Amino acid sequence: MNLTKLVLYSLLLFFPLFSAAQRVGVVFSGGGATGFAHIGVLKALEENDIPIDYITGTSAGALVGALYASGYSPEEIEAIVLTEKFQLMSSGELEEDQKYYIHQSNEDAELVSYRFAKDSILQKLFPTNLLNPTFLDFEMLNLLGLNPPSAEANFDSLFVPFRCIASDIATKESVSFSSGNLNQVVRASMTYPFFISPITLDEKLLFDGGLYNNFPASEMYHEFDPDFIIGSNVSYNELPPTDDDLMSQIRNMFSTHSDYSLPCSQGIIIEPDLGDEVGTFEFDKIKRAIDIGYQSTLEKIDSIKMFVNIRVSKEERTKARDIYKSKKIPLAVSSIKITGVEEDEHDYFEKKLIKNKKESTIGYEELKKRYLHLYQSEHVHSMYPIIHQTTDSTHEMRLHIKKKKPLRLAFGGHYSSRPVNTGFLSASYSDFRITPLTIYANTYFGKFYGSVKAGLKFYLPSRATSYIEPVFVMNRWDYFRSFATFFEDVKPSYLIQNEMYWSLRYNFPASSKSKITIDFTNGNNEDRYYQSDDFTNLDTADFTSFLYYSPGLEVVVDKLNRKQWASAGSKFTFKTRFIHGIEHTTPGSTSINKEETNSFHNWIYFKTSYKNYFMQKGVYRLGIYLEGVYSFQPFFNNYTSSLLSAHAFEPIPDAQTGFYNDFRSNKYVGGGLINIFTIKDKVDLRVDAYLLQPFYRIQNATGKAIEGELFEGRFGMGSVSLIYHSLIGPLRATVNYIPGQSILDPLSFQVSFGYVLFNRRALR
């Protein structure tokens, strides 16, 4: 009797060895970047011909599982997640060639900004996510949204039947999806709180499936009833909260403990030990996670083979995949339906995606270009796409657009140990009246520089992005006799420049990286200055005003990776202006000429500059900077006023905070080399060296300006900086060498935080 029981027990235990129709289910846990170890698990299983009949997954496991269930091989999935594109998707960034310069804000000293809603400023002040997933969502549409129509109705019709887990935080329950838009349900499963913005599906706001069910083995057992379950788990339950650890308290409030065991005896769990090698958000270490998952599976492959006797060869899988993929229809969008915006706003957004009514369909590449162009608009916060196949084998896209909150405040400036500290504040309001409209204003405040700027951007209702921009600006520059440290007294000013102008600009792109600006400007410059270094409080300053009008053209092609202290990319600028105006000069007590004068001036100038970081070897990068000016500007009444109105060679940002005679000319060429050593991550050691060659140096002839000899004299400047590029702005320690003014020390040292950027001058 006992022997009979033992035989029966043995037969039951080893029943899978004699089964001819084994069905194997694979379960993937969540885990962020660690979840990509599941790709290594798939690779090892396929290399050993283990069948995979069903998949369930949560979060990162849902993404890997959905890609496999959509017919991608483990090698194809690995290739996808190891691309630079995927790294950008996981960080909320865009590919460089998909960034559109026309949408970039004016270059100013902004460090941080906040957006507000009109109806509830305090309640909606803080963002709900750190990462904007618009690029991720679009690429997931292309990767997961093009399965045959039957798969949308039922995930059992995918290449491998699949279940995806998300979380409903309202009911605090997990939600299992067996049908729907695959890219949408996987995106819901990946929505880690505060990291990625949640989406609404079936009127439920859904979050990461790992909150309530991080290892969906039970769903595998009850939905598919497989003969054998292989679990891959890279996660764990949160430790109990402690009274002095806020994050542990928050994590426990948002999640419940998951069951990481199998609901049946016929199965095995693979637990890749990533230890401290790969963290939840370390997406740059995905390759290491894959390798660990692969090795961990090989260690248990013999045990798996003991219980799974069915084999599926590589040839069989490849043939089955090819048949499944042949049923997919490449992305071809024939119509777009937009939700989330007002009815009268639909036309504007549709024009950005559908260029003309003659287009029958839009393919992936062209749609991506237009889609990301629209996303970068200053009025769009995020977009979410889903597609449905139509009866004529094309696709209808349904696009949900979420607009940015209309009120925006920004803060910034440049805070230095030298007396050139400048605060910055800006505000803007965006509205939509058939076409987008933005009203903005900013101010700089400090002893050295002060400014007020107000403007309006009126976007034209055209297919190409362009806007008309009326602007009013007041600038004040107050140059000191001494550039002492922050802790020393500053001597009286010796040069003060005031500028007030209005300008009407038309801005439009010639390419994704360019912006062309045509403008008409009218304004008045007022300069107060002493014509001698030796002056007292009893002396009166000379006064020169210049009332003018000026049409101009500017072309910018910008591919730099930062708005200041860049380390990659290139930038080309070309400017030309015609200027007509009247100069009025009232001499002061230090002037040699004591007569008031009025003079009419007309001239045109051309200016171009080019910067390119053209070489990178390891941590070293080499860049080049070139600049040239050719101006037909006549000299003003005296030497100092002629210098004040001349162009300045200022390749080092700190050169803008001083007045250097030798680096001012109306005709010159200049250039230099930029050496950058990236010490660690975002820390750069930067060494700049530049040389200026004036065609004709502006010289002083008894108070009058005259031209020197052709190519007489050349002047150099240099800088060494250690820069940490923080999340909000650069922190640097800098030594500058800028000669050219006898009352200033050519060597200066400073520690500073922020950007040396100002509102633009009208005539330069």
mmCIF file of all heavy atoms in Angstrom, residues 520-536:
data_model
loop_
_atom_site.group_PDB
_atom_site.id
_atom_site.type_symbol
_atom_site.label_atom_id
_atom_site.label_comp_id
_atom_site.label_asym_id
_atom_site.label_seq_id
_atom_site.Cartn_x
_atom_site.Cartn_y
_atom_site.Cartn_z
ATOM 1 N N PHE A 520 11.934 96.060 -37.243
ATOM 2 C CA PHE A 520 12.081 97.514 -37.362
ATOM 3 C C PHE A 520 12.154 98.057 -35.944
ATOM 4 O O PHE A 520 11.279 97.767 -35.117
ATOM 5 C CB PHE A 520 10.911 98.148 -38.109
ATOM 6 C CG PHE A 520 11.042 99.639 -38.227
ATOM 7 C CD1 PHE A 520 11.781 100.208 -39.255
ATOM 8 C CD2 PHE A 520 10.447 100.480 -37.290
ATOM 9 C CE1 PHE A 520 11.917 101.589 -39.358
ATOM 10 C CE2 PHE A 520 10.580 101.858 -37.381
ATOM 11 C CZ PHE A 520 11.319 102.418 -38.411
ATOM 12 N N THR A 521 13.189 98.831 -35.667
ATOM 13 C CA THR A 521 13.449 99.317 -34.314
ATOM 14 C C THR A 521 13.574 100.832 -34.307
ATOM 15 O O THR A 521 14.179 101.416 -35.219
ATOM 16 C CB THR A 521 14.741 98.695 -33.757
ATOM 17 O OG1 THR A 521 14.595 97.276 -33.728
ATOM 18 C CG2 THR A 521 15.035 99.199 -32.351
ATOM 19 N N ASN A 522 13.006 101.430 -33.293
ATOM 20 C CA ASN A 522 13.110 102.880 -33.104
ATOM 21 C C ASN A 522 13.459 103.123 -31.638
ATOM 22 O O ASN A 522 12.844 102.536 -30.738
ATOM 23 C CB ASN A 522 11.790 103.557 -33.456
ATOM 24 C CG ASN A 522 11.785 105.034 -33.136
ATOM 25 O OD1 ASN A 522 10.883 105.517 -32.461
ATOM 26 N ND2 ASN A 522 12.774 105.779 -33.600
ATOM 27 N N GLY A 523 14.468 103.983 -31.378
ATOM 28 C CA GLY A 523 14.855 104.181 -29.998
ATOM 29 C C GLY A 523 15.763 105.368 -29.790
ATOM 30 O O GLY A 523 16.050 106.143 -30.713
ATOM 31 N N ASN A 524 16.239 105.500 -28.556
ATOM 32 C CA ASN A 524 17.111 106.597 -28.166
ATOM 33 C C ASN A 524 18.147 106.074 -27.174
ATOM 34 O O ASN A 524 17.792 105.441 -26.181
ATOM 35 C CB ASN A 524 16.307 107.731 -27.537
ATOM 36 C CG ASN A 524 17.167 108.932 -27.217
ATOM 37 O OD1 ASN A 524 18.023 109.312 -28.005
ATOM 38 N ND2 ASN A 524 16.945 109.534 -26.057
ATOM 39 N N ASN A 525 19.426 106.332 -27.462
ATOM 40 C CA ASN A 525 20.515 105.986 -26.557
ATOM 41 C C ASN A 525 21.030 107.255 -25.881
ATOM 42 O O ASN A 525 21.198 108.296 -26.541
ATOM 43 C CB ASN A 525 21.669 105.320 -27.312
ATOM 44 C CG ASN A 525 21.289 103.964 -27.875
ATOM 45 O OD1 ASN A 525 20.262 103.398 -27.502
ATOM 46 N ND2 ASN A 525 22.103 103.455 -28.770
ATOM 47 N N GLU A 526 21.302 107.158 -24.585
ATOM 48 C CA GLU A 526 21.851 108.290 -23.848
ATOM 49 C C GLU A 526 23.072 107.820 -23.067
ATOM 50 O O GLU A 526 22.971 106.898 -22.256
ATOM 51 C CB GLU A 526 20.813 108.879 -22.886
ATOM 52 C CG GLU A 526 19.626 109.519 -23.584
ATOM 53 C CD GLU A 526 18.642 110.130 -22.607
ATOM 54 O OE1 GLU A 526 18.779 109.875 -21.380
ATOM 55 O OE2 GLU A 526 17.740 110.853 -23.049
ATOM 56 N N ASP A 527 24.211 108.456 -23.321
ATOM 57 C CA ASP A 527 25.460 108.097 -22.654
ATOM 58 C C ASP A 527 25.969 109.276 -21.832
ATOM 59 O O ASP A 527 26.005 110.423 -22.316
ATOM 60 C CB ASP A 527 26.534 107.717 -23.683
ATOM 61 C CG ASP A 527 26.134 106.514 -24.519
ATOM 62 O OD1 ASP A 527 25.343 105.695 -24.018
ATOM 63 O OD2 ASP A 527 26.615 106.403 -25.661
ATOM 64 N N ARG A 528 26.367 108.979 -20.596
ATOM 65 C CA ARG A 528 27.018 109.967 -19.737
ATOM 66 C C ARG A 528 28.393 109.418 -19.380
ATOM 67 O O ARG A 528 28.514 108.285 -18.919
ATOM 68 C CB ARG A 528 26.188 110.221 -18.480
ATOM 69 C CG ARG A 528 24.808 110.807 -18.769
ATOM 70 C CD ARG A 528 24.010 111.078 -17.503
ATOM 71 N NE ARG A 528 22.668 111.521 -17.817
ATOM 72 C CZ ARG A 528 22.327 112.781 -18.095
ATOM 73 N NH1 ARG A 528 23.256 113.729 -18.045
ATOM 74 N NH2 ARG A 528 21.076 113.099 -18.380
ATOM 75 N N TYR A 529 29.403 110.264 -19.555
ATOM 76 C CA TYR A 529 30.755 109.755 -19.421
ATOM 77 C C TYR A 529 31.734 110.891 -19.151
ATOM 78 O O TYR A 529 31.449 112.077 -19.399
ATOM 79 C CB TYR A 529 31.167 109.027 -20.711
ATOM 80 C CG TYR A 529 30.938 109.846 -21.961
ATOM 81 C CD1 TYR A 529 31.936 110.667 -22.484
ATOM 82 C CD2 TYR A 529 29.706 109.829 -22.620
ATOM 83 C CE1 TYR A 529 31.729 111.437 -23.613
ATOM 84 C CE2 TYR A 529 29.482 110.590 -23.739
ATOM 85 C CZ TYR A 529 30.488 111.401 -24.243
ATOM 86 O OH TYR A 529 30.271 112.177 -25.348
ATOM 87 N N TYR A 530 32.897 110.519 -18.628
ATOM 88 C CA TYR A 530 34.013 111.446 -18.469
ATOM 89 C C TYR A 530 35.059 111.091 -19.513
ATOM 90 O O TYR A 530 35.302 109.924 -19.795
ATOM 91 C CB TYR A 530 34.608 111.332 -17.068
ATOM 92 C CG TYR A 530 33.656 111.754 -15.970
ATOM 93 C CD1 TYR A 530 32.915 110.801 -15.265
ATOM 94 C CD2 TYR A 530 33.496 113.098 -15.639
ATOM 95 C CE1 TYR A 530 32.040 111.177 -14.263
ATOM 96 C CE2 TYR A 530 32.618 113.485 -14.633
ATOM 97 C CZ TYR A 530 31.894 112.516 -13.956
ATOM 98 O OH TYR A 530 31.016 112.899 -12.958
ATOM 99 N N GLN A 531 35.679 112.109 -20.074
ATOM 100 C CA GLN A 531 36.691 111.879 -21.098
ATOM 101 C C GLN A 531 38.098 111.802 -20.508
ATOM 102 O O GLN A 531 39.081 111.807 -21.245
ATOM 103 C CB GLN A 531 36.628 112.973 -22.165
ATOM 104 C CG GLN A 531 35.319 112.934 -22.948
ATOM 105 C CD GLN A 531 35.421 113.680 -24.256
ATOM 106 O OE1 GLN A 531 36.312 113.446 -25.059
ATOM 107 N NE2 GLN A 531 34.479 114.595 -24.476
ATOM 108 N N SER A 532 38.172 111.738 -19.200
ATOM 109 C CA SER A 532 39.455 111.616 -18.524
ATOM 110 C C SER A 532 39.301 110.654 -17.360
ATOM 111 O O SER A 532 38.243 110.581 -16.727
ATOM 112 C CB SER A 532 39.929 112.983 -18.014
ATOM 113 O OG SER A 532 41.060 112.843 -17.178
ATOM 114 N N ASP A 533 40.355 109.884 -17.087
ATOM 115 C CA ASP A 533 40.338 109.002 -15.926
ATOM 116 C C ASP A 533 40.451 109.792 -14.626
ATOM 117 O O ASP A 533 40.103 109.298 -13.553
ATOM 118 C CB ASP A 533 41.507 108.015 -16.001
ATOM 119 C CG ASP A 533 41.343 107.037 -17.152
ATOM 120 O OD1 ASP A 533 40.210 106.912 -17.662
ATOM 121 O OD2 ASP A 533 42.349 106.423 -17.545
ATOM 122 N N ASP A 534 40.925 111.025 -14.748
ATOM 123 C CA ASP A 534 41.169 111.860 -13.573
ATOM 124 C C ASP A 534 40.017 112.849 -13.426
ATOM 125 O O ASP A 534 40.034 113.940 -14.001
ATOM 126 C CB ASP A 534 42.511 112.594 -13.731
ATOM 127 C CG ASP A 534 42.888 113.370 -12.471
ATOM 128 O OD1 ASP A 534 42.294 113.071 -11.408
ATOM 129 O OD2 ASP A 534 43.744 114.261 -12.568
ATOM 130 N N PHE A 535 38.966 112.459 -12.704
ATOM 131 C CA PHE A 535 37.821 113.346 -12.498
ATOM 132 C C PHE A 535 37.425 113.309 -11.034
ATOM 133 O O PHE A 535 37.762 112.387 -10.299
ATOM 134 C CB PHE A 535 36.641 112.952 -13.391
ATOM 135 C CG PHE A 535 36.094 111.568 -13.117
ATOM 136 C CD1 PHE A 535 35.092 111.370 -12.182
ATOM 137 C CD2 PHE A 535 36.579 110.468 -13.810
ATOM 138 C CE1 PHE A 535 34.591 110.104 -11.927
ATOM 139 C CE2 PHE A 535 36.084 109.203 -13.563
ATOM 140 C CZ PHE A 535 35.091 109.015 -12.623
ATOM 141 N N THR A 536 36.687 114.348 -10.625
ATOM 142 C CA THR A 536 36.252 114.471 -9.235
ATOM 143 C C THR A 536 34.744 114.621 -9.193
ATOM 144 O O THR A 536 34.082 114.730 -10.238
ATOM 145 C CB THR A 536 36.907 115.682 -8.562
ATOM 146 O OG1 THR A 536 36.362 116.883 -9.134
ATOM 147 C CG2 THR A 536 38.425 115.676 -8.747
#
